[in-house]
Amino acid sequence: MLKRSEHVPEIDRRWSWAEIDLAAIRHNVRAMRRLLKRGCRLMAVVKADAYGHGAIACARAARDAGAGSLGVATVQEAVDLRTAGIDLPVLILSEPPASTAPLLIAHGITPSVCTAAFAERYGRAAADAGTRAPYHLAVNTGMNRIGTDWGSIAEFARSACSHPSLLMQGVFTHFATAGDPDERFMRVQQRRFEQAVAALRAGGTDPGIVHAANSAAAILAPDTHYDLARCGISLYGFHPGPNTRKLIDLRPAMSVHARVTDVHAVAAGEGVGYGLAHRCSRDALVCTVPVGYADGLRAGLSGRIEFTVGGTAARQAGHICMDQCMFEAPAGTAPQIGDEVIIAGKGRAPGATVESMSAMLDTIPHEVAVGFAQRLYRVYR
Ligand SMILES: *Cc1c(COP(=O)(O)O)cnc(C)c1O
């Protein structure tokens, strides 16, 4: 048994953490819903632990703001939502291993379907349990990731999905280029998708919930809304493309913080960190914070970003290590051990944001945000 004094809250065990603003997530869900056509529902995509923001808390926040269903990537993510008592419909956005069929039935988790082998196994599991097996049919319209090809969808539904316990609850596709200012290929995919849905109907199959849009298409192309929009990145406050900024007010929900753990007076000309990659050009105070690339602060940002300390920008100095990194205190300031540093802000601080980091790394904010979930403790505000 631990003594009382030995119970140290997780937030106090390391001087670095991520803050998640759930009010921002609720704001973003409402802003997206306002933009959707009448009758179009919002699915909150909470895969990869809600893009690093925490799936359970974000699912609840999204539900409170009017999301009607949840999208995940894996069976385990779906089971975790159920275990936490979240009872919204949950769709797995790809086809899971067929061996998971009984587990899906037991938890009321809806899979995407695109192979006959899975459909058969899933139908049998439902029959064994004396229930129906709802699924969404995934249609490949040109992204060539998952799905049955758009041209053979009616035939697939007729033959592969013929088990009497299977219940088609929806049909969907996914756009490869939705955030791209050049809409042409998205329109090609849209046409193919509409042909596939029409073929299903012509074959006497009710496709149920028809959906295609991710965040980018939901904001930029209202005629892709259909019955449901699957929104991920927008709910976390990031813009999915260069052209969405003027169309919707999104608020970033994540920021990353740390406290100074060490301060060194370093003479001009001395180096900092591995390889002494940074050289102080003046006598400087070099401060250390316990955030490194194993926390999602990508090594590719080394020496290129600014933190915010006491409202002032401070250049990160030297290679970002696995668990720590250093910065030079702004001239004329004297940070103390314990002072708070904003590692990634939400745009108001002078320093870096998740978005500016992702631009610098030539990647998307999804990847940088997910990185900050690796090890940092999360605090909800
Ligand atoms: C991840 C994902 C989404 C959400 O995309 P965002 O760009 O984050 O809005 C929607 N649909 C599918 C199939 C996905 O895999």
Side-chain angles (χ1 to χ4, degrees):
M1 272 297 276
L2 288 178
K3 291 204 284 287
R4 248 181 102 84
S5 60
E6 292 163 346
H7 280 283
V8 177
E10 228 177 308
I11 182 70
D12 294 332
R13 294 183 193 183
R14 190 175 180 220
W15 274 358
S16 47
W17 67 96
E19 282 183 20
I20 309 298
D21 179 356
L22 293 173
I25 289 176
R26 288 190 294 268
H27 163 88
N28 296 330
V29 171
R30 291 194 192 101
M32 288 299 290
R33 284 183 66 215
R34 245 179 272 123
L35 196 114
L36 298 177
K37 282 189 174 165
R38 183 192 298 270
C40 177
R41 308 268 287 152
L42 185 144
M43 170 186 284
V45 177
V46 294
K47 63 191 182 191
D49 215 4
Y51 297 37
H53 295 64
I56 308 294
C58 292
R60 290 195 180 116
R63 178 192 59 195
D64 293 348
S69 59
L70 302 169
V72 298
T74 72
V75 172
Q76 191 57 47
E77 289 172 351
V79 169
D80 289 346
L81 291 169
R82 288 288 180 257
T83 306
I86 293 166
D87 55 9
L88 287 179
V90 175
L91 177 66
I92 301 180
L93 296 167
S94 58
E95 189 185 80
S99 57
T100 63
L103 183 64
L104 302 177
I105 299 285
H107 281 97
I109 295 163
T110 308
S112 300
V113 166
C114 51
T115 71
F118 179 88
E120 158 65 20
R121 182 78 184 269
Y122 183 51
R124 249 192 304 127
D128 290 347
T131 181
R132 300 297 298 275
Y135 68 97
H136 289 219
L137 187 59
V139 186
N140 175 33
T141 57
M143 177 153 166
N144 296 316
R145 182 171 72 174
I146 65 158
T148 303
D149 285 340
W150 82 96
S152 49
I153 209 77
E155 168 57 23
F156 181 82
R158 200 162 40 242
S159 58
C161 302
S162 60
H163 194 289
S165 294
L166 286 169
L167 177 66
M168 189 184 295
Q169 205 173 61
V171 57
F172 74 101
T173 195
H174 192 51
F175 294 125
T177 62
D180 197 325
D182 181 350
E183 288 196 342
R184 280 173 298 181
F185 193 67
M186 186 182 75
R187 296 306 178 187
V188 169
Q189 285 193 270
Q190 183 181 18
R191 249 187 333 271
R192 291 171 176 174
F193 181 56
E194 290 184 356
Q195 279 170 20
V197 173
L200 281 175
R201 291 203 169 105
T205 306
D206 174 3
I209 304 161
V210 175
H211 52 115
N214 57 0
S215 295
I219 298 169
L220 295 167
D223 60 346
T224 63
H225 287 177
Y226 307 109
D227 301 322
L228 177 87
R230 305 183 304 266
C231 301
I233 196 70
S234 54
L235 306 190
Y236 308 107
F238 302 114
H239 281 273
N243 293 343
T244 60
R245 264 166 229 285
K246 53 190 179 297
L247 299 174
I248 187 166
D249 164 44
L250 297 173
R251 300 186 189 159
M254 177 188 280
S255 53
V256 177
H257 306 251
R259 291 185 193 285
V260 173
T261 54
D262 211 347
V263 182
H264 300 269
V266 177
E270 290 281 315
V272 176
Y274 286 123
L276 306 177
H278 174 81
R279 291 276 170 189
C280 292
S281 58
R282 55 180 171 86
D283 292 352
L285 288 176
V286 172
C287 307
T288 304
V289 280
V291 189
Y293 60 78
D295 301 298
L297 186 63
R298 301 260 303 268
L301 299 168
S302 295
R304 303 170 67 198
I305 48 171
E306 291 181 327
F307 300 150
T308 306
V309 54
T312 308
R315 181 148 295 272
Q316 191 274 319
H319 281 306
I320 293 169
C321 308
M322 187 182 285
D323 318 296
Q324 309 177 76
C325 67
M326 284 69 86
F327 67 89
E328 264 194 32
T333 71
Q336 307 286 307
I337 288 177
D339 282 0
E340 184 168 337
V341 180
I342 301 175
I343 305 294
K346 295 194 282 193
R348 288 181 292 276
T353 64
V354 169
E355 261 177 340
S356 72
M357 289 176 180
S358 61
M360 201 171 270
L361 292 163
D362 204 13
T363 184
I364 48 178
H366 311 51
E367 192 184 344
V368 175
V370 161
F372 283 126
Q374 289 181 72
R375 186 168 65 180
L376 290 175
Y377 181 68
R378 267 192 303 260
V379 184
Y380 292 94
R381 299 271 186 233

